[in-house]
Structures are given as C-alpha cells and as structure tokens.
Amino acid sequence: MKKVIIFLFYCMIYAIISSPILTHAIPANKIKVLIVYSSSTQEITEHERLLDMLISHFSNQLSFRHTSELNSSDIETATHLIYYGNKEEKISNETIRLMDDFEKPFLAIGHNIEQFPASFSWIEGNDTTYLNNVTISTNEQSKLEIKHLELIPISTSGEQDIFFQVTQKDSIFPLMVQKGDHYYLSTTQLFPPVSNLLADALHIFFDQEHEHTTRAMLRLEDVHPKLSAKDMMKVAEYLKEKDIPYIISIIPVYINSETDEEYHFSDNPELAEVLQFMQENGGSFVLHGYTDQFGNGTTGEGFEFWNKEKNEPVYFPENSTEKTKTLNDFKNTSDYEAYINERQAFESEYIISRMEKGIKELANYRIYPVAFEAPHYAMSQNGYRVVSEYFSTYIGQVQLTDKDWRIMAEAPTISQPSFLHGMTLIPETIRYIRYEDPQSITQMSELIDEVSIVRDGIISGFYHPFLGIGQLKGLVNEIEKIPDMEWMDISKLNNTDQDNNTDTSNQPTSSFITEPPWFQLSIYPLQLYKSGIFLSVIGVIIVMFLIISAYRKGLKNEK
C-alpha cells in the first residue's frame, strides 16, 4: 500500500510541475527586451527605430545597446534578447560571450551570425545576395510577392522549424528559422512587407497569443474650412447608417497662398455644425497641423513641421535663407552640439505655437481632437517629443530619421515606439484612394492581404471626403470582406489632450481595453480550459483523492 501511495504522490508532483500554471508565458508588462545592434556609428538610426515599432507592440520596456557598449548588467535584466546585424563587423569576444550565454529567447537578424558558436552553430551563412521577383510563403500557406529582397542564403543542420521561406524560380531559401529558444531572420530588410511577416512571428518569439482579430480604421483626410458642408453631411450620414466609427483629420485654418486669405470654420458655420454632428455620431478628430502648409504654400500642399526645400527640421523662420551649419563649421563637437540645441529650441517653440493655435481654434467650435497626425507624416525626432506633451496618440506613418523626410514607414500593428515618448502609434497601412485613379482601390486591396497575415494587424487607410461617397462605399465594402474584421473606435483609447488652457470636457477619454473587465472575468474559466491549466488542476484533485482513499484503506487494513 505504501508503494501505491508513493506512486500516486509522484504523479501529483509531476502534474503540478508540468502544469501551465508554472510554465505560462511571461506577462506582457514583465517583458524586457534588450536590442543589441551593429552599425557604422553608435547612434540609433532608422533601422533600429523600425525594429522598435515592431517590438513595442509587445512591450514598452526596450533597451538599445551598440555591440561596443554591452555589459553583463544589460543581459541580467532582459527576458528577451535581439541582435540586429544591419552591418558586417567583427564583434568583440566579450560581447559574443555575453550573448551566447543568454539562456532565454534569442533572435538574431542579418549579418554576423557565424560569430555566435554556442547559439547559432547550426546555421551556415553565405554572402549576401539580391533577389528580384520572389515569393515568400509561410507555414499557414500565405504568400507574398516581393519585387526586391536582400537575402543572406543559409543552410541548417539538425531539426528546426522554418517560419517562412523564399522561392525564386526553382530555388528555395529559408527566411526565418527556429531551433529551441534561438531564432534567426536571414535579411536586414525590415521595411514592409517583410515587417508584416516578422510582426506575426514575434508573437511566437514573445509567447504572446494575441487575439486573431483584424481591426480596421477609416480616416477622412484633409478636412478644412473650405470644404462643402453638404458633401460632408452625406459622408457623415452614410457612416452613421453603417454604424462605422471613424476619424477625421482636421486642419483648423485654410490658407490661400495666392491671395493670402485665411478661412476659419466661422466662415463656414454649416460645416462647423456638420463636424459637431460627426463628433456626436462616431467621428473622432485628429489634429492635422494648424494650416497644413509652410512658407508660401497652400493648405494641403505644405509640410508645416518640416522644411521640404532644405529637407531638414524647421530650424529657421518661414522663408528664411539661412543655411544650417555642419560639424565642419565648428572647432569642436561641443560647440556644434550647442548650436543644434539652439536650433531645436527654435523648432520646439514653432511646433508648440502651431499646436496650441490649432487646439484653441477648434475649441471655439466645440471640436476636441484626440490624436495628432503630422502633415505628410513629416516630423523630426525632436518634433515627436514636443507633440507627446500634447497628445497620447499618433496617427499614420512615422519619419525614422532627421536626415531625409522620405525615410518613413509604418508597423502593421498598434505599438508604442520609444522614440514617440509614450504616444501610442496607430499606423496607416493601406494608403488611400487617389484622385481619378481606378487602380488605387486594387492596390489597397493588395495591401489589405499583406497586413492580414499578422494575426492582430490593423487595416488603416484614408479617404478624401470631397471625392463623394461613391468610392467611399467601395472602400468600405472592400474592408468589410476581411474575415474576423472589426471597426476600431479611437475614442476607446486612453487619449489625452494636455493643453491645460483648453476646455476638453467633451473629449472622449475612456481607457482602451481589448475586452471589458466583465468579459475577461466571464471567459476566464474558458481560458483556463484552453491553456490546459483546467485539466492540470482536475488531474491534481483526482490524484489527491486517490492518495487519501488509499491512505484510509490502508488504515482500515491495519486495524
């Protein structure tokens, strides 16, 4: 009898140890990601910021370290390690040792994989190659067609999982592979559509099983005082009838550069009433600058927060001919940095002035923006910092460097990149209906397919309401074809407009939760069942019952 009891006792111990209660994924708020990167300089560039956008969907506790800066304390606090080899370099032995000794999930991207003997000896890489017109396929049989791809061809040994692979004619190359806790992506190309594939694979890397629901967001773009109130009301009534939440990108003041005339919503009171109707019936406003123009530009054509002619931040007054100095113009680095700080201070004051004018102008008509979108998505890194002092939500693509406004991108999911200083990023992922271009809806449909690869991607595009409701209906119908699609209501985000001088009492500020608390409580038993915890608990109870029964039976036999 003692042997039976001992056997049952060990069964119970095994059930407890193997229970998902003890082996569950790390909670999202406990994930700490260390990103070690190789680059020609130690500065964070557009490449690391692009990776930031993808990773911050899972955690906002990110640390970036250049390979020359890594130390043991960085490794000790991390739950996940990512190495981004954007450039080929010889990594120091100590840095390699620190990363090779990491015993938690480790993802390597790009070059220098051969320098990690303990972690990636099962991978043999070759020289970088550039492929044209390739197909990328996934385990789910999804396929993407890509015109150009930079690839590091690899061969592997032993058993491993292939997340996705590249096919060109008769050649097949692994693109992302996994062996245990080690993952490898054999390209440095992280812009879309490769970023969509990586974004979905990261759910496995971080062991976060997000809901398989595709959210959709519709944005009405460039709404300003010169638009027709009648046309806007038709759009508003259609979206209300369809019960579709949407956002309105609003420009408070219209500037006619030819006549220097200004138009305010007070000059178009019928439109102001329509906008209030929208705000009360599913519409949420996004501040799209103050005039959406810079210098002598006309509203809608300018950049406002970026000097397009000089391709630099707004370091000088409009129409100034002064040129920005470079490091070569100074005797030492400290003098140059002091000069740049002075120019950034000017830029900050300029942005603050435009932001506050825009917010206060709209408040006159009881219109309260809940997010911000930079005109043409062009804004410096310092500009994002300033905007974060006014809004907690940013809409659209983001500019990734101060060197060129054209280097911009988006992630396929909602995230909170560190360079947005706490703002939540809701990306624009499927572009827009272009004027008199019947092919644009087809191209948007193709982008919908690309983003839908991500299990919780967001389908976000925009539409100019002056085009009427005909093409808008076509766009809505295309989006509503998506399986498991739901329209996203930005008013459910924890949006804040932090201008203390503005009355925002009517502004939606409810918290954004994937499911309300009552729903989470109601499905908790089901979650336990699906995760295996429920069965493990039942197993422990049964084994305990058998032990007690056997013990009692043994006592009776002894008597």
Side-chain angles (χ1 to χ4, degrees):
M1 182 55 63
K2 285 184 178 180
K3 291 182 179 180
V4 173
I5 293 175
I6 292 172
F7 172 75
L8 293 173
F9 176 77
Y10 280 121
C11 287
M12 183 181 70
I13 295 299
Y14 175 79
I16 293 173
I17 292 175
S18 61
S19 168
I21 294 176
L22 299 180
T23 60
H24 67 282
I26 299 173
N29 62 354
K30 300 293 184 182
I31 294 176
K32 296 182 179 180
V33 188
L34 173 63
I35 301 108
V36 182
Y37 62 98
S38 293
S39 65
S40 53
T41 68
Q42 294 184 6
E43 296 179 356
I44 292 177
T45 67
E46 63 268 23
H47 304 289
E48 289 75 40
R49 292 191 184 103
L50 181 54
L51 188 57
D52 189 342
M53 286 198 295
L54 299 174
I55 299 170
S56 59
H57 176 61
F58 302 90
S59 172
N60 58 9
Q61 299 185 73
L62 277 61
S63 299
F64 285 86
R65 295 288 184 273
H66 189 267
T67 49
S68 62
E69 301 173 325
L70 186 66
N71 59 60
S72 58
S73 61
D74 297 323
I75 293 285
E76 290 169 0
T77 58
T79 62
H80 295 75
L81 173 63
I82 297 177
Y83 168 68
Y84 186 15
N86 186 52
K87 301 290 183 182
E88 293 185 46
E89 71 162 352
K90 178 67 174 70
I91 307 172
S92 72
N93 293 335
E94 177 61 14
T95 297
I96 291 293
R97 185 191 66 78
L98 287 172
M99 288 195 280
D100 256 348
D101 288 347
F102 191 74
E103 297 180 346
K104 301 167 188 174
F106 180 4
L107 164 65
I109 300 171
H111 299 292
N112 310 315
I113 189 73
E114 71 284 352
Q115 298 183 47
F116 296 89
S119 301
F120 298 102
S121 59
W122 49 282
I123 296 176
E124 183 176 345
N126 297 290
D127 293 337
T128 302
T129 186
Y130 299 89
L131 305 178
N132 297 320
N133 302 316
V134 301
T135 300
I136 300 180
S137 56
T138 72
N139 290 335
E140 304 297 328
Q141 302 305 311
S142 299
K143 292 186 177 181
L144 286 178
E145 304 295 331
I146 298 182
K147 291 183 178 180
H148 309 287
L149 180 67
E150 177 184 323
L151 183 76
I152 302 170
I154 61 169
S155 57
T156 61
S157 59
E159 295 184 3
Q160 69 279 316
D161 293 324
I162 299 176
F163 281 33
F164 23 86
Q165 57 189 13
V166 178
T167 303
Q168 185 191 50
K169 297 181 180 179
D170 296 329
S171 301
I172 299 177
F173 309 93
L175 182 59
M176 186 169 182
V177 293
Q178 172 196 4
K179 189 172 185 178
D181 274 343
H182 294 87
Y183 304 72
Y184 177 61
L185 180 68
S186 60
T187 182
T188 60
Q189 185 173 318
L190 299 186
F191 284 86
V194 173
S195 58
N196 298 338
L197 296 164
L198 179 57
D200 192 66
L202 286 173
H203 288 83
I204 300 173
F205 176 68
F206 288 111
D207 197 10
Q208 298 293 310
E209 186 58 34
H210 292 170
E211 58 180 335
H212 290 236
T213 300
T214 301
R215 294 189 179 91
M217 174 172 285
L218 175 66
R219 185 170 91 239
L220 303 180
E221 186 76 350
D222 289 343
V223 173
H224 55 70
K226 289 283 286 181
L227 292 185
S228 163
K230 184 178 179 180
D231 291 344
M232 286 295 292
M233 181 54 86
K234 288 181 181 179
V235 171
E237 289 176 339
Y238 166 71
L239 294 174
K240 179 183 178 183
E241 180 184 350
K242 291 282 293 182
D243 194 26
I244 295 175
Y246 57 99
I247 57 178
I248 308 109
S249 180
I250 189 165
I251 306 164
V253 177
Y254 181 93
I255 300 290
N256 185 328
S257 61
E258 295 182 358
T259 63
D260 289 331
E261 290 181 277
E262 288 189 4
Y263 295 89
H264 299 250
F265 286 111
S266 57
D267 300 314
N268 193 345
E270 294 84 3
L271 178 58
E273 290 182 9
V274 172
L275 297 179
Q276 291 170 8
F277 173 84
M278 288 178 151
Q279 188 170 244
E280 296 166 359
N281 292 277
S284 298
F285 286 96
V286 176
L287 184 64
H288 193 36
Y290 178 51
T291 61
D292 190 5
Q293 54 84 230
F294 183 75
N296 297 323
T298 295
T299 290
E301 299 176 0
F303 279 54
E304 189 162 7
F305 300 108
W306 185 262
N307 190 323
K308 182 185 177 184
E309 298 302 320
K310 297 180 179 179
N311 198 14
E312 67 179 17
V314 180
Y315 282 160
F316 303 99
E318 300 174 65
N319 303 318
S320 170
T321 58
E322 188 172 352
K323 294 183 178 180
T324 303
K325 296 178 181 179
T326 67
L327 179 60
N328 294 331
D329 296 317
F330 295 87
K331 294 180 179 180
N332 53 62
T333 302
S334 60
D335 287 348
Y336 171 68
E337 291 176 348
Y339 168 77
I340 291 298
N341 289 337
E342 180 183 300
R343 294 297 89 214
Q344 287 183 340
F346 174 87
E347 179 197 27
S348 297
E349 289 301 317
Y350 169 83
I351 295 172
I352 288 170
S353 173
R354 310 292 283 191
M355 297 285 287
E356 293 189 353
K357 285 180 179 179
I359 292 170
K360 291 173 182 177
E361 175 76 16
L362 293 176
N364 292 331
Y365 314 103
R366 290 181 288 114
I367 295 172
Y368 305 103
V370 299
F372 181 78
E373 173 203 348
H376 293 270
Y377 301 142
M379 177 162 274
S380 71
Q381 298 303 305
N382 176 58
Y384 292 132
R385 180 191 59 78
V386 176
V387 170
S388 71
E389 297 174 2
Y390 290 85
F391 291 99
S392 59
T393 305
Y394 188 89
I395 304 294
Q397 298 182 49
V398 290
Q399 184 174 323
L400 298 174
T401 174
D402 288 352
K403 295 179 180 179
D404 191 338
W405 72 269
R406 291 165 294 188
I407 301 178
M408 59 175 61
E410 75 283 348
T413 54
I414 298 173
S415 60
Q416 201 174 67
S418 57
F419 61 90
L420 291 189
H421 304 276
M423 289 192 290
T424 296
L425 172 62
I426 303 178
E428 175 254 292
T429 56
I430 63 169
R431 308 301 178 255
Y432 66 104
I433 299 289
R434 294 188 295 275
Y435 320 137
E436 300 178 354
D437 184 356
Q439 292 300 315
S440 58
I441 186 68
T442 301
Q443 293 168 357
M444 293 180 82
S445 179
E446 292 171 354
L447 289 172
I448 287 173
D449 291 339
E450 290 183 7
V451 179
S452 296
I453 288 175
V454 188
R455 65 194 68 188
D456 56 354
I458 179 167
I459 305 299
S460 176
F462 63 90
Y463 184 82
H464 291 91
F466 68 79
L467 294 174
I469 64 171
Q471 294 184 78
L472 176 60
K473 289 181 178 180
L475 176 58
V476 168
N477 290 338
E478 196 67 31
I479 292 174
E480 290 187 332
K481 293 177 184 178
I482 303 170
D484 301 319
M485 185 278 298
E486 63 179 32
W487 290 103
M488 180 179 173
D489 188 351
I490 193 177
S491 70
K492 300 295 178 65
L493 280 167
N494 185 25
N495 303 299
T496 56
D497 169 358
Q498 301 174 46
D499 184 351
N500 295 326
N501 297 318
T502 301
D503 177 13
T504 58
S505 57
N506 292 334
Q507 178 186 327
T509 56
S510 56
S511 298
F512 176 77
I513 313 173
T514 305
E515 299 94 5
W518 61 264
F519 181 73
Q520 292 177 338
L521 289 173
S522 67
I523 67 168
Y524 186 65
L526 180 61
Q527 289 175 330
L528 291 179
Y529 178 78
K530 286 183 176 180
S531 67
I533 293 175
F534 178 79
L535 296 178
S536 297
V537 171
I538 293 298
V540 170
I541 293 173
I542 291 173
V543 171
M544 289 180 66
F545 175 77
L546 292 174
I547 290 174
I548 293 172
S549 298
Y551 178 73
R552 289 179 174 176
K553 186 175 181 181
L555 290 177
K556 289 181 179 179
N557 292 338
E558 290 178 2
K559 293 179 179 179

